[in-house]
Amino acid sequence: MDIHQVLAQNREKATPRSPSLPGEVTEPPSKAGILTRTLLRSPMVNWILPARIRHKNKNDVLFIGRDSVEVKELSGDCHLEDVAVKSDFGSTIRSARVLGAPVALPESYGLDAIIKSEELDEMVLDADGPLQIPPQILVLALESKMLVFLFAFYDRHDKIQYISSQRALPPQRSYLEQLGKHMAVDPKSRALAVAACEGSFCLYALKTMDQLREEIESDGGFRQGNFMPIREERHFSVEGIILKMEFLHPPQGENNHVILLLVISLNQRTRLLCYEWDCSTDLRQAKQKGDGQLVHPEDSHPLLLIPFTISSGFMLVCEKVISVYKGILTGPATRRWLALDHYEPPQDPGNSRRPPLWTHWAKPVRHGEYASNHNDIYLCREDGIVRWLEIDEASEGEDAMIGSQMYPGNIGCNIDTAFASLDQPTNRPDLLVSSGDTSNGGLFIIRPSQYIEPRATQTIHNWAPTIDFVTARVSSSSHGIQRHVSSSNEGPMFRERIFACTGRGSKHGAVSELRYGVEARIGTSVEIEDGVLDLWALSALSGGDTFVLLSYSATTMLLHIPSDLGNSESEIKLVEDENMGLYFDARTITAGVTTEDFIIQITESSIHVTSFVAAKHRWSRQCKEERIVAADICRTNPATVTALRRGEDVYLHLATLSTS
């Protein structure tokens, strides 16, 4: 019996038969099966791209995963807020870039001036008028041989909607020749290049954002898939493996000049290939400049290709050297190099015998005259080390091509290609983000010129890789954890929990609990003295500011948290005013706020009732011979219960609060 006969018999068994004879019973279909559903999407992120794909005033940050795009928004207090996730591409994302000009940020105002826009300036879909596209568009190259152009907006019901269009990539014979491995965008978004692992790349001439807006308006509105940024395309064949590909910045005054640089490996030799095109003409005029240039043997396996913004120069970052090339448009490019010494030893030397590699780079936002003649670049190492390079226009023509290089510090997580510098006004420090690689990531404030260690403002959780996991059930009446045992009489008093072995290495390996719900995030923090025994948040029910009472062994402290803490001028302060009606020279046993906004404080020797609104409503009682050892407060019907010790006796005292 062959495989075809076995399959035929299985199909016959799976097909229910109708009764052939009266009284014959048909076998019921099988009810057993396996249903699967993704509960927790993989936290692994391949790229992080700052891109305003919703509105010019929405500071969006895109986390590009294996097959999804997660949209986050940078808030004014330097935190990333979840917005939406798009995961219906139906294919793996091979590469991603952003089209459009960067949005100019204010230099003298905080980030709130960007985010808090007027309601009339929001991008809302209007049925009676055309939709205005945002300043930037996300472009993805999919495994399904498609280019996807994507942006988003909020509709009238405050729900995020996506508008996309697709363009098929030219078919190829093998996977290595399939386009999508590399992608690059011209600095002025005039051209897009998509390359394969080897053999070929495709150059696309792009429409300007103004042309796209005019087409939408002339079409009478916007419809799904009714926009296409591509104006023209041309396919190029190259011989060898494509290692890196980037567009270079044109020389000053040459606004139509488009320069594409490829790093090609052929026969164990690495070559630079440069293509030029005048964007005022069609793509048939694009041509290769010369036969290419061989790089120095030390640059044969570059880790990073970084184009400059102040000239047509570029940088190759290798394992041991940084090589700066300039003058590639006028002849053979000249090379100056700098030894890339590892000032800091590996942070986790047990992972590999080789030195850690430099994995990615980022350019912080700069404005004005400084940006016209300076390049600031952050290099990140896979073990969390960050280095800052400053390249100015004068230094490119001298022996010291890198003006200065500094070691801003260690951000404390592993770093892969998911690393970026987020948009910040120039009066603020730089803000770096990493999603982590086999470790948690985070958002970090960094000041490279002040030799201050980076400060984390937010943790981005990453539980990959998950080596093993176990389920446990916890009773609501007990804090113990039990291994899950299947039982038919399990009641609703038990809830399931998942614990997993996550991370890698001696620093990042951990046992993590995987939870689903609304995450509580740290908004701000303040340093206090050690030795806090207890604390209470005293928030008036009528609204307003919040006070936090901290109890120490012999004293009490009061912190003031303003309601507008998100404002850059607001901060948490220590209250030392003795006229607040509270007692600070003893340990506080308990405290609380009643429904009528009265604050009750019970210390070891006194009871205090006060109101921050009306100073006349204050009362206190001192214990002369007694000592309060325990206490509690009823907030709805204001009352206090205290346990007082007098000598060897302990007795309870009940007191009610009356405002009449």
Side-chain angles (χ1 to χ4, degrees):
M1 181 179 293
D2 60 12
I3 185 63
H4 299 288
Q5 293 174 327
V6 174
L7 294 176
Q9 290 183 1
N10 290 339
R11 284 194 295 268
E12 292 178 0
K13 293 180 180 180
T15 304
R17 297 185 298 108
S18 59
S20 58
L21 296 175
E24 183 179 355
V25 179
T26 305
E27 295 181 1
S30 176
K31 296 182 179 179
I34 298 177
L35 300 179
T36 62
R37 176 188 176 189
T38 302
L39 297 179
L40 298 172
R41 185 173 298 277
S42 171
M44 296 186 64
V45 177
N46 294 327
W47 303 280
I48 298 178
L49 303 176
R52 299 174 185 265
I53 65 168
R54 291 183 297 160
H55 190 269
K56 64 181 180 180
N57 292 335
K58 298 291 185 180
N59 199 350
D60 293 332
V61 182
L62 308 181
F63 282 52
I64 313 297
R66 179 179 180 272
D67 56 0
S68 63
V69 175
E70 186 174 357
V71 183
K72 297 177 181 289
E73 182 177 355
L74 181 63
S75 61
D77 57 352
C78 295
H79 277 70
L80 290 174
E81 305 292 342
D82 296 330
V83 176
V85 178
K86 183 173 177 59
S87 57
D88 57 353
F89 299 104
S91 179
T92 302
I93 300 174
R94 300 191 67 192
S95 56
R97 287 297 178 101
V98 177
L99 302 179
V103 178
L105 301 179
E107 300 187 25
S108 57
Y109 299 95
L111 198 59
D112 293 335
I114 308 171
I115 298 177
K116 296 179 180 178
S117 59
E118 295 182 1
E119 186 174 346
L120 294 177
D121 202 19
E122 295 293 330
M123 190 168 62
V124 180
L125 182 61
D126 187 2
D128 299 328
L131 175 67
Q132 183 181 7
I133 62 176
Q136 294 174 324
I137 297 175
L138 175 66
V139 55
L140 305 172
L142 303 182
E143 195 80 46
S144 58
K145 304 177 183 179
M146 298 294 294
L147 279 180
V148 176
F149 300 90
L150 177 72
F151 68 89
F153 67 96
Y154 281 107
D155 61 14
R156 296 172 177 175
H157 305 289
D158 202 28
K159 292 184 178 180
I160 192 168
Q161 303 290 339
Y162 296 96
I163 300 296
S164 63
S165 63
Q166 297 184 354
R167 178 83 166 220
L169 292 169
Q172 302 296 331
R173 294 173 298 178
S174 67
Y175 179 80
L176 294 179
E177 296 178 347
Q178 179 180 330
L179 299 179
K181 171 63 176 178
H182 304 279
M183 187 186 299
V185 176
D186 175 70
K188 298 182 180 180
S189 293
R190 300 165 299 180
L192 167 70
V194 183
C197 295
E198 63 179 28
S200 65
F201 72 93
C202 197
L203 184 62
Y204 297 92
L206 301 179
K207 304 172 185 176
T208 64
M209 301 302 289
D210 292 336
Q211 290 175 337
L212 288 177
R213 295 187 183 97
E214 292 176 0
E215 290 183 2
I216 293 172
E217 294 176 358
S218 62
D219 198 29
F222 199 92
R223 296 187 300 273
Q224 187 74 24
N226 194 27
F227 83 105
M228 176 50 62
I230 295 177
R231 173 167 55 91
E232 185 184 1
E233 69 177 86
R234 181 183 172 187
H235 191 266
F236 291 83
S237 297
V238 294
E239 189 176 2
I241 301 174
I242 302 176
L243 302 179
K244 302 292 177 182
M245 180 178 69
E246 290 286 352
F247 281 93
L248 303 182
H249 284 254
Q252 188 175 4
E254 300 182 11
N255 297 327
N256 295 329
H257 198 176
V258 177
I259 310 163
L260 179 64
L261 178 68
L262 282 79
V263 182
I264 305 294
S265 177
L266 179 63
N267 298 328
Q268 300 183 354
R269 305 178 74 182
T270 302
R271 186 182 301 271
L272 301 175
L273 292 183
C274 186
Y275 290 82
E276 294 183 283
W277 172 53
D278 186 346
C279 65
S280 62
T281 63
D282 55 48
L283 281 178
R284 291 178 297 178
Q285 307 302 321
K287 59 183 182 301
Q288 178 181 332
K289 181 178 177 59
D291 297 329
Q293 175 183 344
L294 292 175
V295 301
H296 193 274
E298 290 184 332
D299 303 335
S300 59
H301 297 89
L303 301 174
L304 303 171
L305 168 60
I306 307 175
F308 294 156
T309 57
I310 56 178
S311 67
S312 300
F314 58 93
M315 175 191 301
L316 293 180
V317 179
C318 305
E319 288 191 44
K320 298 181 179 180
V321 297
I322 297 178
S323 298
V324 174
Y325 288 82
K326 67 168 189 173
I328 195 171
L329 300 179
T330 57
T334 59
R335 172 184 180 262
R336 290 185 173 87
W337 63 275
L338 178 70
L340 194 55
D341 298 326
H342 289 272
Y343 297 113
E344 288 294 318
Q347 301 301 299
D348 197 352
N351 284 344
S352 175
R353 296 181 180 179
R354 298 174 60 92
L357 300 178
W358 300 94
T359 57
H360 206 53
W361 58 277
K363 291 182 179 180
V365 177
R366 298 291 186 262
H367 293 285
E369 183 179 354
Y370 182 88
S372 63
N373 52 29
H374 285 79
N375 261 308
D376 289 353
I377 299 171
Y378 283 105
L379 290 181
C380 64
R381 209 170 68 179
E382 59 182 336
D383 59 347
I385 297 297
V386 176
R387 175 176 291 187
W388 181 63
L389 304 178
E390 180 186 12
I391 302 175
D392 55 59
E393 188 175 8
S395 64
E396 282 194 70
E398 301 172 358
D399 293 337
M401 68 281 178
I402 297 180
S404 63
Q405 56 174 329
M406 301 180 185
Y407 166 64
N410 179 11
I411 64 176
C413 67
N414 296 333
I415 308 175
D416 199 355
T417 54
F419 174 80
S421 175
L422 304 185
D423 294 347
Q424 286 275 82
T426 54
N427 63 336
R428 289 194 173 193
D430 294 333
L431 192 62
L432 303 182
V433 59
S434 171
S435 67
D437 179 37
T438 67
S439 72
N440 287 336
L443 205 60
F444 306 91
I445 293 178
I446 191 167
R447 295 176 173 87
S449 59
Q450 298 182 11
Y451 298 97
I452 300 176
E453 284 291 324
R455 180 172 65 88
T457 63
Q458 181 181 356
T459 298
I460 299 176
H461 298 289
N462 184 349
W463 59 86
T466 300
I467 308 302
D468 197 3
F469 71 93
V470 64
T471 60
R473 60 176 184 172
V474 179
S475 172
S476 59
S477 60
S478 173
H479 297 287
I481 299 177
Q482 302 174 348
R483 276 295 301 267
H484 175 73
V485 180
S486 178
S487 175
S488 59
N489 58 357
E490 270 188 352
M493 300 300 292
F494 292 88
R495 64 183 181 91
E496 299 295 332
R497 301 172 69 180
I498 300 177
F499 296 90
C501 298
T502 63
R504 186 187 67 183
S506 60
K507 288 190 175 183
H508 305 295
V511 176
S512 304
E513 181 182 0
L514 305 184
R515 305 179 65 182
Y516 182 84
V518 179
E519 179 186 1
R521 297 178 177 175
I522 298 176
T524 186
S525 61
V526 61
E527 293 185 1
I528 59 176
E529 297 180 5
D530 294 334
V532 177
L533 301 178
D534 210 339
L535 59 85
W536 300 267
L538 308 177
S539 178
L541 299 178
S542 58
D545 300 344
T546 300
F547 293 86
V548 178
L549 203 65
L550 306 175
S551 177
Y552 291 84
S553 60
T555 59
T556 296
M557 294 176 58
L558 184 66
L559 297 179
H560 173 226
I561 304 178
S563 57
D564 58 344
L565 188 59
N567 191 338
S568 59
E569 297 180 357
S570 300
E571 60 181 3
I572 300 176
K573 295 181 179 179
L574 175 65
V575 179
E576 299 179 339
D577 188 0
E578 297 181 354
N579 297 323
M580 298 290 293
L582 300 176
Y583 190 63
F584 299 125
D585 294 333
R587 179 175 73 92
T588 297
I589 297 177
T590 187
V593 181
T594 68
T595 55
E596 297 179 351
D597 288 351
F598 284 97
I599 298 175
I600 301 177
Q601 177 198 16
I602 301 178
T603 70
E604 293 178 323
S605 60
S606 60
I607 300 176
H608 303 269
V609 180
T610 184
S611 173
F612 293 158
V613 179
K616 63 179 181 179
H617 292 157
R618 293 179 180 177
W619 175 87
S620 63
R621 175 182 179 271
Q622 294 289 333
C623 300
K624 297 181 179 180
E625 299 179 359
E626 303 91 351
R627 178 173 173 268
I628 301 175
V629 294
D632 201 358
I633 299 171
C634 179
R635 293 167 176 79
T636 54
N637 298 314
T640 63
V641 180
T642 56
L644 296 96
R645 179 184 296 275
R646 178 184 294 173
E648 296 181 355
D649 299 328
V650 176
Y651 59 92
L652 294 178
H653 182 271
L654 173 64
T656 59
L657 176 64
S658 176
T659 58
S660 61

